[in-house]
Amino acid sequence: MKWVNVLGGIVGAAALLGLGIILGHFAIPKGTNSQHLQDLDLEILESIMQQLDASRIRENLRELSREPHLASSPQDEALVQLLLQRWRDPESGLDSAEASTYEVLLSFPSREQPNRVAVVSPTGNVLFSCRQSEQNLTGEQGGPDVVPPYAAYAPPGTPQAVNAAKHGVAGVLVYTDPADINDGQSSTNETFPNSWRLPPSGVERGSYYEYFGDPLTPYLPANPSSFRLDPDTVSGFPPIPTQPIGFEDAKILLCNLQGASAPAAWQGALGCDYKLGPGFQPNGDFPADSQVNVSVYNRLELRNSSNVLGIIRGAVEPDRYVLYGNHRDSWVHGAVDPSSGTAVLLELSRVLGTLLKKGTWRPRRSIVFASWGAEEFGLIGSTEFTEEFFSKLQERAVAYINVDISVFANATLRAQGTPPVQSVIFAASKQIPAPSLGGLSIYDNWIRYFNRSSPVYGLVPSLGSLGAGSDYAPFIHFLGISSMDIAYTYDRSKTSARIYPTYHTAFDTFGYVDKFVDPGFSSHQAVARTAGSVLLRLSDSLFLPLNVSDYGETLRSFLQAAQQNLGVLLEQHSISLVPLVTAVEKFEGAAGALDQRISALQKATPDPLQVRMLNDQLMLLERTFLNPRAFPEERYYSHVLWAPRTGSVATFPGLANACSRAMNTSLGSPAWAEVQRQLSILVVALEGAAATLRPVADF
Amino acid sequence: MKWVNVLGGIVGAAALLGLGIILGHFAIPKGTNSQHLQDLDLEILESIMQQLDASRIRENLRELSREPHLASSPQDEALVQLLLQRWRDPESGLDSAEASTYEVLLSFPSREQPNRVAVVSPTGNVLFSCRQSEQNLTGEQGGPDVVPPYAAYAPPGTPQAVNAAKHGVAGVLVYTDPADINDGQSSTNETFPNSWRLPPSGVERGSYYEYFGDPLTPYLPANPSSFRLDPDTVSGFPPIPTQPIGFEDAKILLCNLQGASAPAAWQGALGCDYKLGPGFQPNGDFPADSQVNVSVYNRLELRNSSNVLGIIRGAVEPDRYVLYGNHRDSWVHGAVDPSSGTAVLLELSRVLGTLLKKGTWRPRRSIVFASWGAEEFGLIGSTEFTEEFFSKLQERAVAYINVDISVFANATLRAQGTPPVQSVIFAASKQIPAPSLGGLSIYDNWIRYFNRSSPVYGLVPSLGSLGAGSDYAPFIHFLGISSMDIAYTYDRSKTSARIYPTYHTAFDTFGYVDKFVDPGFSSHQAVARTAGSVLLRLSDSLFLPLNVSDYGETLRSFLQAAQQNLGVLLEQHSISLVPLVTAVEKFEGAAGALDQRISALQKATPDPLQVRMLNDQLMLLERTFLNPRAFPEERYYSHVLWAPRTGSVATFPGLANACSRAMNTSLGSPAWAEVQRQLSILVVALEGAAATLRPVADF
């Protein structure tokens, strides 16, 4: 172990001076102190980077995606065992690994009564039926474990209509247009397995639940004894039967509609003019008085779903946790989503575990690897985890790194996160070569694809913000833990696909990744290195590499957007933004001064407690933006800066949403009072955040 | 300073060995380490105990209570300046002291239109008027700054009636019966200034606001720019005019009523049979058709009210705050309430400040002294403070010590607090002699008056639990900071007075204290020593003296009470307490194991970070019991163990309250669902608490 070497060096020097016994006595605490002041070891970091192996990631992916592994299925459970086996391996495992199980409400189609979409004549004859499963193109789309396409949590029912009027909609059909997913291409020879594009029979599964977490146990972990809501009274489920279909079938329904043309933005690449209905064209494939019958037989089921946690105990600050996670469950084989991320996770944990077992390395802080269950149904495993360990995580979590889909495409890094993680992702990505680009760093490649002009740094890669698209959501929104999501992604000059085309279909397979997404797995390796370097930096750096002053830039830009977009309106209602301006200034001042104190301490010889105290300020900054009473109607959203926004302007969400609701109400309305309340909540949060960044001894 | 001495010793030893240069180099971190591992210095503690001076406390009290100092009055502001001057004194002041001001909604009687209670004839003739001020018995009850008796926040209005039917009550008169406050005595020669008893003209003022904190800014600090509720829509104010009167006047009204006799429990010591009305007796002092006219002219006013904070910076862990506070505002002179506490506060800060300025001592952790404003109106200054510094306090506050009325009477110590503070109060009180009892310790005296049989410790003094009677309320209920309230109090064999008799009247003066409450001020000194010792132990001990395993005893007793009182009812509704039993067991197990780890570490040579990590577990335990979503209707009450209980049994409040609401509803009612929700909230909180007590490296 590292600290043994340091101690050895000191003891050796003492012996040379002939002062063995006396200095031996004094040197023991000194040795401990040295360990306590040990910074990130760049040689070990570089060695880890070298050991992260593309072919091993490829083999991981093959194993992980061999079978469909829908949440709570036997194959999902088999992967739990695989993870436990890897993380308990005597040669390359972690300090400990455990599975923990929640009893959660999932939704599945019926095996006995498949969901059905058909065109029927007035007399009830079935004129046309949509496919009930995808075409078996690679031999992987046909097994009994391939869940048929469905909309999870859509209620059962058998509505029949054609394009019912808006307020009488009885059922919903969903399809993905080739214009949106395939850059317009739709023929068999242009699609998988001949290209990465979606075959005509491909159907995107998904969860249609509005919130996240187990639907029956909001704010409570879904333990067997937990209080559960009555499923009949749960809000957030779709109110009417819903079923996804392929564009092959959608074409037959849509291109036969009559009525006015749909708006230009609604037109797609099915090869006809999309009409709004109601009813079928008189000269089309179906009699004009035919109707569409949708039969949905989805069932809600309480099922056991597991998270797997693997721990590396920190050597110096074991009570500081750097979390790294991804979900394990997929809709079908899920080679890209999520196994590309899990393949990276397993390679990273193997490399770190091997160093650990050899005694070469142990991080300063604890590392918690997580494989979440039932993400596809609504981030369920991760949310239940944050509910169960709310206090412990709020006290001790340094950051959460999410790598879900690790490779969407192989053009460039893409990162999302809150401002404090920007600097550590930049630092990591500057030290790692981009795949196949002759030594160009990931950072330098990244900045070519996504960039912005920072008032502080000039041109930098632009970090996206975190919505609720993966398991980082409960960490950032519910717990206020600085979070990030890291992946490789598209060259947008080459495709406008909404997402990689086989997303959530039975065509998202190992062969698809191996042939089309990342042949050679160098992008997977690049993500493993980037996320791995970020993980190492967060867990091993003496000073936490969370640059809190980067929040100042975000606050300033949110403020400017508020002034520009809401300033006049607010002034008309005698609401001043001056307290908000002052609060932002206070934040900037306190953050800048903190930066200077850290720099000064880095040059001096800090003592371990001084470092700890500063790190606590850095770690806990994100927590100061939480206010559980700010948005009572937004489940789990307590972060006053990143709650959902209804408008498109990047600004303070509570203020902007309240303004948009108040805009057409009269002065003195409750909606205008809410604007003022939201402004005060924001000002208090920013002032409180600034207060935590000031020198701690000043109270 | 202490650590200079330690360092000097080591360097001296090194010189003796002739190793000055080399050891000098190595000794610097060693010296720092020693400081980091320095424990409470018992000699300094004892010296502080000796320096706490009864006659100085007496002089403080004389100065503090010379003038009436109603919240936000000029005299209250003058005391702000006095505190600042003391805490900025170059010889005996603190490191820094600042006043901070909030703009809060207070309620005052009108100077122009005094509140009035009168008996009037049907023709409108005034037959009798209640006093509008107390009798000027000591020359201190007559000045313009003596606020006339009133019920703060009672609305203005002039209802007229006699004992209106329950559902048509138009106004409320409040008085304090001699049976409740004076052990039945009421004549002039039996009352102040001839004894400590309440004179016949004495009237208890008070706030009639239902919640606490500034009424217009719930959950937000009352800064000038903060969002404010419309006062007309604020909930928690009394709905009808209310006025307090003295028992002298109450006797004339009550002894003239006709009707059925009031229940025995309502009878008092006014010397007549209390009747329920309606109407006056035919042969009494008033014509039977007379009525009582109540005129209330109270006004709501936005006023500036200040807190004063004085800081001693911690030498080793300046980011750990031990808070010690009391309110400053009184209803009139407030010699007992609150100046007896402030007099102690000033003496304690003087002694510590003197050591600080001399360089003799600096605590390991920071100490924050606070003088709160507008407590009498509803804990306003302290609540606004917790709202403003929510994040900082939740992260860093070790404990809050409240000494409001320091001496109710001079028989015994009385302490209230959450379980973790029991041990430190016991430890302090065992080392201090009780006044005038020949060397008996405060602890040994205390146990004679209040005791209980602890399953763990045997017979011990009993610690009361914290309601919302003073400024500790926002700290414990809103922030989850371990809190306590310390005072000297009555021998209950000598008086059954509800509280000291001149409470909230114009007779609560320096002379009253000096002559009747604590002649010689030895009880004040005893409280100063006890609270001072607790403060020193919390701020200077290497391991925080917060015994978290004492929470196990409370949980066990709450559980047993729940099983006994609710078990059958719950079983009838198929609700199992087994998960709660398991959670309590897990807590006990984790707390016991933590105790053992601390003991082991105390015997070994811990490093400063190990100590810090354990102390964080101790400090933050109380926080784990907070759930801001547990009791949405109870403003500020988030602590799942100490929220208000409607029943008399000491048990889990959320569960007990939910059961009492559900009791008469049918199976499957929302009220029974709420019982299950409350049970789950409790189980999750206890499991979460236990999880934070386990070894941190296990995650």
Side-chain angles (χ1 to χ4, degrees):
Chain A
M1 288 192 296
K2 201 71 203 157
W3 66 267
V4 172
N5 294 342
V6 171
L7 186 57
I10 289 167
V11 171
L16 277 176
L17 287 165
L19 297 169
I21 295 163
I22 297 159
L23 273 181
H25 171 76
F26 283 94
I28 288 165
K30 174 78 175 165
T32 306
N33 239 346
S34 296
Q35 183 196 18
H36 286 178
L37 294 171
Q38 174 85 41
D39 204 349
L40 174 71
D41 184 321
L42 293 173
E43 280 180 35
I44 286 185
L45 174 63
E46 184 52 32
S47 150
I48 290 166
M49 295 296 101
Q50 293 311 318
Q51 290 171 60
L52 291 165
D53 187 86
S55 63
R56 283 180 187 264
I57 297 173
R58 182 173 183 273
E59 286 315 304
N60 287 341
L61 184 66
R62 188 203 296 277
E63 193 164 353
L64 291 165
S65 64
R66 184 171 288 132
E67 307 277 351
H69 47 286
L70 186 65
S72 79
S73 67
Q75 295 82 3
D76 181 33
E77 273 306 301
L79 291 186
V80 168
Q81 296 308 316
L82 170 75
L83 278 149
L84 286 174
Q85 185 205 323
R86 294 283 189 99
W87 287 349
R88 289 172 175 171
D89 187 282
E91 306 292 319
S92 61
L94 312 176
D95 288 320
S96 65
E98 297 295 336
S100 70
T101 304
Y102 298 101
E103 197 175 309
V104 301
L105 190 76
L106 305 184
S107 161
F108 300 101
S110 162
R111 278 191 188 271
E112 298 75 38
Q113 292 181 285
N115 293 349
R116 203 192 64 168
V117 176
V119 178
V120 294
S121 73
T123 56
N125 292 333
V126 174
L127 306 173
F128 169 76
S129 283
C130 292
R131 302 184 63 91
Q132 293 181 324
S133 60
E134 288 141 321
Q135 195 179 354
N136 195 346
L137 296 174
T138 68
E140 293 161 296
Q141 289 76 40
D145 298 321
V146 175
V147 73
Y150 75 115
Y153 300 110
T158 55
Q160 180 168 316
V162 172
N163 198 8
K166 192 183 173 200
H167 294 288
V169 172
V172 174
L173 296 179
V174 180
Y175 83 100
T176 308
D177 199 283
D180 297 326
I181 201 75
N182 273 357
D183 293 313
Q185 307 299 311
S186 59
S187 70
T188 304
N189 64 353
E190 291 164 333
T191 55
F192 184 75
N194 300 306
S195 82
W196 85 322
R197 296 195 195 97
L198 181 66
S201 71
V203 184
E204 183 181 329
R205 294 153 187 78
S207 170
Y208 285 67
Y209 177 51
E210 187 182 337
Y211 307 120
F212 53 85
D214 170 45
L216 298 189
T217 59
Y219 297 118
L220 294 169
N223 294 319
S225 76
S226 285
F227 167 63
R228 284 179 165 72
L229 297 172
D230 177 347
D232 293 339
T233 65
V234 166
S235 65
F237 290 155
I240 49 177
T242 302
Q243 178 66 17
I245 58 177
F247 64 75
E248 178 183 43
D249 289 331
K251 177 176 182 172
I252 290 170
L253 300 181
L254 200 48
C255 291
N256 276 297
L257 282 186
Q258 67 173 0
S261 284
W266 297 18
Q267 299 294 332
L270 293 178
C272 63
D273 182 35
Y274 298 3
K275 304 212 187 292
L276 293 172
F280 289 112
Q281 300 169 12
N283 304 319
D285 294 337
F286 309 118
D289 53 0
S290 303
Q291 293 205 313
V292 175
N293 179 295
V294 180
S295 303
V296 174
Y297 301 104
N298 296 343
R299 293 191 297 218
L300 296 172
E301 290 182 38
L302 268 187
R303 297 284 279 264
N304 287 325
S305 172
S306 299
N307 294 334
V308 189
L309 297 182
I311 315 287
I312 299 178
R313 291 193 303 273
V316 179
E317 295 183 275
D319 67 342
R320 291 294 175 258
Y321 309 136
V322 183
L323 295 114
Y324 180 116
N326 179 29
H327 68 103
R328 184 186 60 254
D329 66 303
S330 59
W331 283 115
V332 192
H333 298 82
V336 176
D337 181 7
S339 304
S340 66
T342 310
V344 164
L345 169 66
L346 283 177
E347 175 59 1
L348 188 54
S349 61
R350 180 194 68 82
V351 170
L352 297 185
T354 304
L355 291 175
L356 193 71
K357 296 293 182 189
K358 278 188 188 155
T360 314
W361 167 85
R362 176 173 292 285
R364 177 183 184 84
R365 304 180 182 88
S366 294
I367 292 175
V368 180
F369 287 110
S371 169
W372 310 119
E375 188 264 6
E376 295 294 6
F377 289 81
L379 323 181
I380 292 180
S382 54
T383 302
E384 301 310 302
F385 174 77
T386 59
E387 290 168 335
E388 178 161 10
F389 297 105
F390 182 91
S391 294
K392 196 183 263 198
L393 291 167
Q394 278 224 328
E395 289 175 16
R396 304 180 194 158
V398 168
Y400 175 64
I401 304 165
N402 196 65
V403 180
D404 181 343
I405 295 170
S406 66
V407 180
F408 292 87
N410 47 32
T412 174
L413 191 74
R414 184 233 59 190
Q416 303 166 333
T418 60
V421 309
Q422 174 182 277
S423 58
V424 66
I425 301 176
F426 284 3
S429 63
K430 282 177 181 173
Q431 302 295 321
I432 305 166
S436 326
L437 288 167
L440 190 71
S441 73
I442 285 179
Y443 179 94
D444 287 332
N445 180 53
W446 182 16
I447 205 169
R448 293 162 55 202
Y449 289 90
F450 300 102
N451 59 62
R452 68 183 178 94
S453 180
S454 151
V456 179
Y457 305 106
L459 197 73
V460 290
S462 64
L463 200 71
S465 57
L466 295 168
S470 189
D471 293 301
Y472 50 74
F475 289 93
I476 182 59
H477 298 301
F478 180 46
L479 290 182
I481 293 167
S482 292
S483 297
M484 70 200 85
D485 187 84
I486 295 174
Y488 240 67
T489 194
Y490 321 97
D491 177 349
R492 279 299 178 194
S493 73
K494 302 219 172 110
T495 179
S496 66
R498 179 175 62 81
I499 193 165
Y500 72 93
T502 64
Y503 175 72
H504 287 192
T505 74
F507 303 109
D508 178 356
T509 57
F510 176 75
Y512 181 79
V513 176
D514 198 39
K515 194 158 172 198
F516 299 112
V517 177
D518 188 24
F521 283 75
S522 59
S523 295
H524 282 76
Q525 185 184 44
V527 171
R529 286 175 171 169
T530 307
S533 175
V534 168
L535 176 64
L536 258 281
R537 287 163 193 270
L538 284 165
S539 54
D540 258 352
S541 298
L542 180 61
F543 287 90
L544 283 177
L546 294 172
N547 197 346
V548 297
S549 62
D550 285 341
Y551 242 123
E553 212 178 299
T554 304
L555 296 178
R556 180 58 62 180
S557 80
F558 278 16
L559 174 64
Q560 285 166 351
Q563 287 168 322
Q564 280 165 29
N565 292 275
L566 308 171
V568 172
L569 180 72
L570 290 169
E571 211 169 297
Q572 286 166 350
H573 290 80
S574 307
I575 297 173
S576 168
L577 286 176
V578 170
L580 183 59
V581 173
T582 306
V584 171
E585 283 165 359
K586 282 188 190 171
F587 184 93
E588 290 168 333
L594 179 66
D595 280 352
Q596 288 177 4
R597 290 201 303 284
I598 294 173
S599 296
L601 208 54
Q602 279 172 323
K603 283 171 203 145
T605 318
D607 73 60
L609 282 177
Q610 285 178 302
V611 177
R612 168 89 172 192
M613 289 186 276
L614 267 169
N615 282 340
D616 279 358
Q617 289 180 279
L618 302 176
M619 174 179 83
L620 294 173
L621 173 70
E622 199 86 63
R623 242 71 102 221
T624 68
F625 296 120
L626 284 196
N627 182 334
R629 294 171 185 91
F631 316 112
E633 73 291 357
E634 299 278 7
R635 190 179 295 172
Y636 298 120
Y637 287 100
S638 294
H639 197 302
V640 302
L641 300 174
W642 305 114
R645 249 188 300 109
T646 51
S648 60
V649 177
T651 186
F652 305 106
L655 181 64
N657 294 348
C659 280
S660 89
R661 280 190 293 262
M663 200 171 308
N664 298 315
T665 69
S666 59
L667 198 74
S669 70
W672 278 108
E674 179 63 11
V675 171
Q676 293 186 292
R677 192 183 81 98
Q678 286 294 338
L679 186 59
S680 283
I681 283 172
L682 185 57
V683 168
V684 170
L686 300 189
E687 297 254 4
T692 67
L693 297 182
R694 294 205 187 94
V696 293
D698 297 351
F699 173 77
Chain B
M1 287 191 296
K2 199 68 203 159
W3 66 268
V4 172
N5 294 343
V6 172
L7 186 58
I10 291 168
V11 173
L16 276 177
L17 287 165
L19 299 169
I21 296 163
I22 298 160
L23 273 183
H25 171 75
F26 282 93
I28 289 166
K30 173 76 175 168
T32 305
N33 238 346
S34 295
Q35 183 196 18
H36 285 178
L37 294 172
Q38 174 84 43
D39 205 348
L40 174 71
D41 184 319
L42 292 174
E43 280 180 34
I44 286 187
L45 175 62
E46 183 52 31
S47 149
I48 291 167
M49 294 297 103
Q50 292 312 319
Q51 289 171 60
L52 291 166
D53 188 271
S55 63
R56 284 181 186 263
I57 297 173
R58 181 173 184 273
E59 286 315 305
N60 287 341
L61 184 66
R62 189 203 299 275
E63 193 163 353
L64 291 165
S65 63
R66 184 171 289 130
E67 307 277 351
H69 47 287
L70 188 64
S72 79
S73 67
Q75 295 81 4
D76 181 33
E77 272 307 301
L79 291 187
V80 169
Q81 296 309 316
L82 170 75
L83 278 149
L84 287 174
Q85 185 205 322
R86 295 283 189 98
W87 287 349
R88 288 171 176 171
D89 186 282
E91 306 292 319
S92 61
L94 311 177
D95 288 320
S96 65
E98 296 295 337
S100 71
T101 303
Y102 298 101
E103 198 174 308
V104 300
L105 190 75
L106 304 184
S107 162
F108 300 102
S110 162
R111 277 190 190 273
E112 298 74 36
Q113 290 181 285
N115 293 349
R116 203 192 62 168
V117 177
V119 178
V120 294
S121 73
T123 56
N125 291 334
V126 173
L127 305 174
F128 169 76
S129 284
C130 291
R131 302 185 64 92
Q132 293 181 325
S133 60
E134 287 141 320
Q135 195 179 354
N136 195 345
L137 296 175
T138 66
E140 293 161 298
Q141 289 78 39
D145 298 322
V146 175
V147 74
Y150 74 116
Y153 300 109
T158 54
Q160 180 169 317
V162 172
N163 198 7
K166 194 183 172 199
H167 294 291
V169 172
V172 174
L173 296 180
V174 180
Y175 83 101
T176 308
D177 198 283
D180 297 326
I181 201 76
N182 273 357
D183 292 312
Q185 307 300 312
S186 60
S187 70
T188 305
N189 64 351
E190 291 164 333
T191 56
F192 183 74
N194 300 307
S195 81
W196 86 322
R197 297 196 194 96
L198 181 67
S201 72
V203 185
E204 183 181 328
R205 295 152 186 79
S207 170
Y208 285 67
Y209 178 51
E210 186 182 336
Y211 308 119
F212 53 86
D214 171 45
L216 298 188
T217 59
Y219 297 117
L220 294 169
N223 295 318
S225 76
S226 285
F227 166 63
R228 284 180 166 70
L229 298 172
D230 178 346
D232 293 339
T233 65
V234 165
S235 65
F237 290 157
I240 49 175
T242 302
Q243 179 66 16
I245 58 175
F247 64 76
E248 177 182 44
D249 289 332
K251 178 176 181 173
I252 289 169
L253 300 181
L254 199 49
C255 291
N256 277 296
L257 282 187
Q258 65 172 1
S261 285
W266 297 18
Q267 299 293 333
L270 292 178
C272 63
D273 184 37
Y274 297 5
K275 305 211 185 291
L276 293 172
F280 288 114
Q281 300 169 11
N283 302 320
D285 294 338
F286 311 118
D289 53 358
S290 304
Q291 292 204 313
V292 175
N293 179 294
V294 180
S295 304
V296 175
Y297 300 104
N298 296 344
R299 292 191 298 219
L300 296 171
E301 290 181 38
L302 268 186
R303 297 284 280 267
N304 287 325
S305 172
S306 299
N307 294 335
V308 190
L309 297 182
I311 316 287
I312 299 178
R313 290 193 303 274
V316 179
E317 295 183 276
D319 68 342
R320 291 293 175 259
Y321 309 136
V322 182
L323 296 113
Y324 180 117
N326 179 27
H327 68 103
R328 184 186 59 255
D329 66 304
S330 58
W331 282 115
V332 192
H333 298 80
V336 177
D337 181 10
S339 306
S340 65
T342 311
V344 163
L345 169 66
L346 283 177
E347 175 59 3
L348 187 53
S349 61
R350 179 193 69 82
V351 170
L352 298 184
T354 305
L355 292 175
L356 194 70
K357 296 293 182 189
K358 278 188 190 156
T360 315
W361 167 83
R362 178 173 290 285
R364 177 182 184 87
R365 306 180 181 88
S366 294
I367 292 175
V368 180
F369 287 109
S371 168
W372 311 118
E375 187 264 6
E376 295 294 5
F377 289 80
L379 323 181
I380 292 181
S382 54
T383 302
E384 300 310 302
F385 173 78
T386 59
E387 290 169 334
E388 179 161 10
F389 296 107
F390 182 91
S391 295
K392 197 183 262 199
L393 291 168
Q394 277 225 327
E395 288 175 15
R396 304 179 193 158
V398 168
Y400 175 64
I401 304 166
N402 196 66
V403 180
D404 181 343
I405 295 170
S406 66
V407 180
F408 291 87
N410 47 32
T412 174
L413 191 75
R414 183 233 60 191
Q416 303 167 332
T418 59
V421 308
Q422 173 182 277
S423 58
V424 66
I425 301 177
F426 284 3
S429 63
K430 282 177 181 172
Q431 302 295 321
I432 305 166
S436 325
L437 288 167
L440 191 71
S441 73
I442 286 179
Y443 179 94
D444 287 333
N445 181 53
W446 183 15
I447 206 171
R448 293 164 52 203
Y449 288 92
F450 300 102
N451 58 63
R452 68 182 177 96
S453 179
S454 152
V456 180
Y457 304 107
L459 197 73
V460 290
S462 65
L463 201 71
S465 58
L466 295 167
S470 188
D471 293 300
Y472 50 75
F475 289 93
I476 183 61
H477 298 301
F478 182 45
L479 290 182
I481 293 167
S482 293
S483 298
M484 71 201 86
D485 188 83
I486 295 173
Y488 240 66
T489 195
Y490 320 97
D491 178 348
R492 279 299 178 194
S493 72
K494 302 221 172 107
T495 179
S496 67
R498 179 175 62 83
I499 192 166
Y500 72 94
T502 65
Y503 175 72
H504 287 193
T505 75
F507 303 109
D508 178 356
T509 57
F510 176 74
Y512 182 79
V513 175
D514 198 37
K515 196 160 171 196
F516 298 112
V517 177
D518 188 23
F521 282 74
S522 58
S523 296
H524 282 77
Q525 185 184 43
V527 171
R529 287 174 171 171
T530 308
S533 175
V534 168
L535 176 64
L536 258 280
R537 286 163 193 271
L538 284 165
S539 54
D540 257 353
S541 298
L542 181 60
F543 288 90
L544 283 176
L546 294 171
N547 196 346
V548 298
S549 61
D550 285 341
Y551 242 124
E553 211 177 304
T554 303
L555 296 178
R556 180 58 61 179
S557 79
F558 279 16
L559 174 64
Q560 284 166 350
Q563 287 168 322
Q564 279 165 28
N565 291 275
L566 308 171
V568 172
L569 180 73
L570 291 168
E571 210 169 299
Q572 285 166 353
H573 290 80
S574 307
I575 297 172
S576 168
L577 285 176
V578 170
L580 183 59
V581 172
T582 306
V584 171
E585 284 165 358
K586 283 188 188 172
F587 184 93
E588 291 168 333
L594 179 65
D595 279 352
Q596 289 177 3
R597 290 200 303 283
I598 294 173
S599 295
L601 209 54
Q602 279 172 323
K603 283 171 205 146
T605 318
D607 73 59
L609 283 177
Q610 285 179 300
V611 177
R612 169 89 171 192
M613 290 186 276
L614 267 169
N615 282 340
D616 279 359
Q617 289 181 277
L618 301 178
M619 174 179 82
L620 295 172
L621 172 69
E622 199 88 61
R623 243 70 105 225
T624 66
F625 296 120
L626 285 195
N627 182 335
R629 295 172 183 90
F631 317 111
E633 74 291 357
E634 298 278 7
R635 190 179 293 172
Y636 297 120
Y637 288 100
S638 295
H639 198 302
V640 302
L641 299 176
W642 304 114
R645 247 188 302 109
T646 51
S648 59
V649 177
T651 186
F652 306 107
L655 180 65
N657 294 347
C659 280
S660 89
R661 280 190 294 264
M663 201 171 308
N664 297 315
T665 70
S666 60
L667 199 75
S669 71
W672 278 109
E674 178 64 10
V675 171
Q676 294 187 292
R677 192 184 81 98
Q678 286 295 339
L679 186 59
S680 283
I681 283 171
L682 185 58
V683 168
V684 170
L686 301 190
E687 298 252 5
T692 68
L693 297 183
R694 294 205 187 94
V696 294
D698 297 350
F699 171 76

